[in-house]
Amino acid sequence: MLHRQRFAAFAAGILLTAGIGATIPASASPSAAPASPGAAQPATALVTNARWGGHASFDRLVIDVKGTVPPVTVKPVKVLTYDGSGNKVPLAGRYFLEIKLSPAAAHDDSGRSVYQGPRLLKVWLPTLKGVAMTGDFEGVVTFGAAFDTKPVYKAYTLHGPERFVLDIRHHPGVCPA
């Protein structure tokens, strides 16, 4: 399974480097194989932070996890909504990505939040314009990211410490901040 993750990250990097102009749908890690009967179930991954940074040719969004990074899906959506309520997330942008980690939680077994990152924040990077935690509901932690231009991205996990990474390529003519 680790080889598939590395191959997927490597292949996405090659496509991004080759200048493929389309959005690359990403599943950062493959679905976990079903546990054998009687096997201990892994602890739920705890999402503890989200952070970002600008680089010369891309912006990066990182989601920190305590435990093993669970399967992650990244998909373009027309509008960001809060899980549970369905209310619109007030982030400015023309394009949005929804990032779902599952199974995961941003709270401990007592219901106390373990997430220390932003809940809703405007970001002043060349490509990434906003980040919101949009849900911690029924074993799924969801984030939204906002952009003014259609995002071209690659998604992968890094270890030591555990984290999910989303790199969003700067568009030609976009100057780094």
Side-chain angles (χ1 to χ4, degrees):
M1 181 163 57
L2 183 58
H3 293 292
R4 283 191 298 192
Q5 287 175 324
R6 286 185 178 159
F7 177 76
F10 177 72
I14 287 175
L15 289 174
L16 191 58
T17 302
I20 301 299
T23 300
I24 303 168
S27 178
S29 57
S31 299
S36 58
Q41 295 297 316
T44 299
L46 295 177
V47 176
T48 60
N49 195 17
R51 52 199 168 87
W52 54 91
H55 299 272
S57 61
F58 64 95
D59 294 341
R60 175 172 285 171
L61 174 64
V62 178
I63 299 172
D64 295 318
V65 175
K66 183 176 179 185
T68 302
V69 175
V72 180
T73 58
V74 177
K75 71 176 185 177
V77 294
K78 290 188 184 289
V79 66
L80 293 172
T81 58
Y82 287 108
D83 294 352
S85 73
N87 293 334
K88 185 178 176 183
V89 177
L91 273 180
R94 292 182 45 214
Y95 299 91
F96 303 96
L97 291 178
E98 179 183 75
I99 304 157
K100 287 188 177 276
L101 295 87
S102 178
H107 61 276
D108 63 19
D109 290 338
S110 301
R112 290 184 300 262
S113 180
V114 297
Y115 179 72
Q116 302 298 315
R119 301 284 175 171
L120 177 68
L121 191 64
K122 184 169 185 159
V123 177
W124 300 93
L125 292 175
T127 305
L128 182 64
K129 299 303 180 184
V131 175
M133 180 184 192
T134 60
D136 177 16
F137 188 70
E138 296 185 349
V140 180
V141 176
T142 310
F143 289 87
F147 309 89
D148 288 338
T149 57
K150 188 173 183 179
V152 177
Y153 59 90
K154 65 179 179 176
Y156 52 98
T157 58
L158 292 174
H159 309 285
E162 295 290 308
R163 60 212 183 272
F164 167 77
V165 178
L166 184 70
D167 286 343
I168 309 99
R169 186 177 77 184
H170 292 169
H171 291 277
V174 174
C175 296

